[in-house]
Amino acid sequence: MAKTLHRVFHIGFSLLWGWLFLNSVLRWRHNGAAALAAGLVLAAVFFLLAKFAVPRLDRLAPKAFRLGFGIVFSLYTVLFCWFAWLLAVVPIMDLEAVLHTLPDLLENGRFGVWNAYYVICNNNLGLALVLGGWYRLASLFGFAPGTDLSGVAPGIALNALAILGSVALVCLLARRLFHSNGAVALAFLLCAGFAPFVLYAPTFYSDTLSLPFALLALLAWTYYRAEARPGRRLALLAGMAAAAFLGYAVKGSVVVVVAALVIQLFLEKRVRQAAKGALALVLCFALFFGSYRAWQRLGFIDWTEEDALGLPLTLWFCYGSHDEGNYSQADYEAAMSVPTLAQRKALLSERLWRNYRSYSPSQLGEFLTKKAAITWGDGLYDAQQFLATPQRANWTHRFILEGQPGYMPLVYYCQAYLYMLQLLLVAGAALAAVKNASPGPLTLARLCVLGLVLFLSFWETKARYAFNFTPLLLLLALASLLALAHRDASRP
């Protein structure tokens, strides 16, 4: 039964991503056909590397490969940090607001006059706590949070660690899954060629600082599935719950990892063992979540203004229910037209129900497709919005600022890379359906991605909301390349 469900899942996954890919090309605001052609060329290059370079690298002695890989990764780190510094921006939108709240937090251990911001935007509390702890360390070296170059420097450093750490985790997962020097090298090349990692390097917001957590949960799963000792299995389940919770605290969408892990348990384990594991996982996550919320409620945040200022999560679902699914001033004003939080919840629930009730089945399909094409069809992931406020001018801005000579080549490169990844996701899922192999870590990665697709189908629409799961897309693209180039049963 599990293998049948596994095959059905992969058929559905390949059809879904095929539809997303098709609409990404057809609905792109520039020349989708040209970007697709470039994406096919990129796919061919990576396929040739998988076909011919991977076996040669596999013949290297482990020590020689580790040395070479260490040197290359170190050079990449230096170049990445250099670009992060060159691309430094003046923070805008919520990142600017969070930075303004940090001096009070660091001085008093509370937010003081900024308390109301976290009543309204409680989703950014986890980000503020992470940045607050980091800036506390930075203060030992004379740095303080601010919007000038010295004020953002510690945040950029933390962001670089998060992104580079995610690249390292993708490479580590490639080693654990494929036991191959060449797979590790190809994983690194896929990550190094993914320009949005560099473009987001100076923007230390929740989209980037949440990058490692789904990967950490996936890594823990690779150990859990091979572990026989009950105590170790329980510890690994707790570790997965902790990774999912920390990711959720920084960026709420990471919560889909919990659902993916529960489903994976029932796909891979016997029903009794899966039920015990799922219960332990959910209880651990609930303990972390409940403690975090209780700590906020029992003293850290002053909630006396919640009725006057609080916004229910329904508002963001309401944003995502009409037009292009983006922010709606009309929805916000409707919510604030009533005096209490309970009334806002009731008003927005009715508004949300009315919006979806107004669609016919075909209209709903068209609406959700349009939203998905916006969310999953932008190779820049909205990075250009943040890069438009540079701290200082330098040669990189010939590429990252709209209207400059290098901007459109960068746009087409990023879009072509996205199309390559989407094609490889479709191919990998289709191959898994044909082979009908047993469920494994790659299934879990696809479940996480599917969870995010479903969540963002109803949430507010922004391309950057899909960014924090891009390492999983790169890992799945790697698996597809290896499966296409080396069709042997030893590869998962």
Side-chain angles (χ1 to χ4, degrees):
M1 183 63 177
K3 290 193 73 172
T4 301
L5 288 173
H6 189 238
R7 169 172 275 177
V8 170
F9 165 70
H10 279 97
I11 292 171
F13 188 91
S14 60
L15 290 173
L16 173 65
W17 271 98
W19 182 246
L20 290 178
F21 163 70
L22 178 64
N23 280 277
S24 295
V25 175
L26 295 177
R27 295 169 186 256
W28 193 44
R29 63 186 181 277
H30 301 297
N31 190 334
L36 174 58
L40 290 171
V41 171
L42 285 171
V45 170
F46 276 104
F47 173 79
L48 292 174
L49 289 171
K51 185 72 174 177
F52 299 107
V54 165
R56 286 170 173 77
L57 288 171
D58 285 344
R59 290 196 286 270
L60 286 177
K63 185 176 181 179
F65 177 79
R66 285 196 298 269
L67 177 62
F69 182 78
I71 292 171
V72 172
F73 195 92
S74 298
L75 290 173
Y76 173 71
T77 298
V78 171
L79 284 172
F80 185 94
C81 293
W82 180 48
F83 274 110
W85 183 245
L86 289 175
L87 294 172
V89 295
V90 177
I92 60 173
M93 299 188 288
D94 280 284
L95 178 55
E96 180 186 13
V98 169
L99 275 175
H100 284 315
T101 72
L102 294 184
D104 271 0
L105 177 64
L106 294 175
E107 184 176 347
N108 306 312
R110 302 286 289 275
F111 289 112
V113 296
W114 290 99
N115 180 83
Y117 175 79
Y118 293 100
V119 172
I120 300 168
C121 299
N122 189 253
N123 57 304
N124 277 333
L125 176 61
L127 172 68
L129 295 174
V130 169
L131 290 176
W134 182 255
Y135 272 93
R136 174 68 71 189
L137 291 175
S139 68
L140 301 176
F141 302 93
F143 290 98
T147 57
D148 60 348
L149 196 55
S150 65
V152 299
I156 293 173
L158 178 62
N159 206 43
L161 284 173
I163 297 174
L164 290 169
S166 299
V167 173
L169 283 169
V170 171
C171 294
L172 177 58
L173 280 162
R175 169 66 69 186
R176 284 197 57 79
L177 295 178
F178 303 106
H179 313 289
S180 160
N181 294 338
V184 175
L186 193 59
F188 171 74
L189 285 177
L190 282 166
C191 292
F194 187 63
F197 280 163
V198 177
L199 298 178
Y200 264 102
T203 307
F204 45 101
Y205 195 53
S206 55
D207 306 295
T208 48
L209 295 180
S210 61
L211 278 170
F213 295 103
L215 292 169
L216 287 170
L218 181 58
L219 181 64
W221 178 263
T222 66
Y223 287 96
Y224 172 82
R225 67 196 303 262
E227 183 58 63
R229 289 165 289 186
R232 291 285 183 89
R233 286 204 305 270
L234 183 59
L236 287 166
L237 285 168
M240 286 182 263
F245 166 73
L246 291 171
Y248 157 80
V250 177
K251 190 75 174 178
S253 57
V254 181
V255 74
V256 301
V257 171
V258 178
L261 285 166
V262 170
I263 294 170
Q264 187 72 17
L265 278 165
F266 282 95
L267 285 176
E268 284 205 40
K269 305 296 182 182
R270 296 179 183 276
V271 173
R272 186 181 179 86
Q273 184 182 355
K276 288 181 178 179
L279 180 62
L281 178 75
V282 171
L283 285 176
C284 285
F285 183 85
L287 178 63
F288 292 130
F289 176 81
S291 301
Y292 181 58
R293 294 296 291 177
W295 170 70
Q296 292 182 47
R297 289 279 169 183
L298 294 176
F300 187 68
I301 301 291
D302 179 2
W303 294 95
T304 55
E305 297 177 286
E306 184 178 23
D307 244 7
L309 300 174
L311 295 172
L313 287 177
T314 323
L315 178 60
W316 282 266
F317 285 105
C318 225
Y319 290 158
S321 67
H322 60 91
D323 297 323
E324 291 190 338
N326 210 331
Y327 172 81
S328 166
Q329 184 67 20
D331 285 341
Y332 175 77
E333 289 177 357
M336 299 310 293
S337 68
V338 294
T340 68
L341 182 60
Q343 289 173 310
R344 283 182 210 116
K345 288 179 180 178
L347 183 149
L348 290 169
S349 295
E350 169 58 28
R351 197 177 179 95
L352 181 64
W353 173 242
R354 187 171 66 248
N355 287 342
Y356 279 112
R357 194 172 51 192
S358 69
Y359 296 120
S360 68
S362 61
Q363 288 172 332
L364 180 60
E366 168 61 22
F367 169 66
L368 293 177
T369 298
K370 180 173 65 175
K371 277 189 67 178
I374 294 170
T375 305
W376 297 96
D378 179 5
L380 287 173
Y381 293 90
D382 287 338
Q384 72 278 9
Q385 294 182 5
F386 299 95
L387 296 172
T389 55
Q391 288 276 357
R392 63 215 185 286
N394 55 65
W395 63 270
T396 62
H397 298 98
R398 292 173 60 84
F399 297 91
I400 64 170
L401 295 181
E402 193 167 356
Q404 294 298 306
Y407 179 75
M408 287 311 297
L410 175 66
V411 168
Y412 271 90
Y413 171 78
C414 291
Q415 199 68 19
Y417 215 90
L418 174 65
Y419 291 160
M420 178 190 72
L421 294 179
Q422 290 178 340
L423 277 170
L424 289 172
L425 254 68
V426 173
L431 280 174
V434 170
K435 291 181 178 179
N436 200 24
S438 299
L442 295 176
T443 307
L444 176 58
R446 293 186 181 103
L447 283 167
C448 290
V449 171
L450 177 63
L452 189 63
V453 171
L454 295 175
F455 176 77
L456 295 180
S457 293
F458 298 97
W459 192 254
E460 181 190 14
T461 306
K462 290 185 187 299
R464 66 180 176 84
Y465 289 167
F467 185 73
N468 60 343
F469 277 34
T470 50
L472 294 180
L473 302 188
L474 292 162
L475 183 65
L476 290 170
L478 168 70
S480 299
L481 286 167
L482 294 175
L484 290 166
H486 308 283
R487 300 192 181 201
D488 59 82
S490 65
R491 298 183 186 275

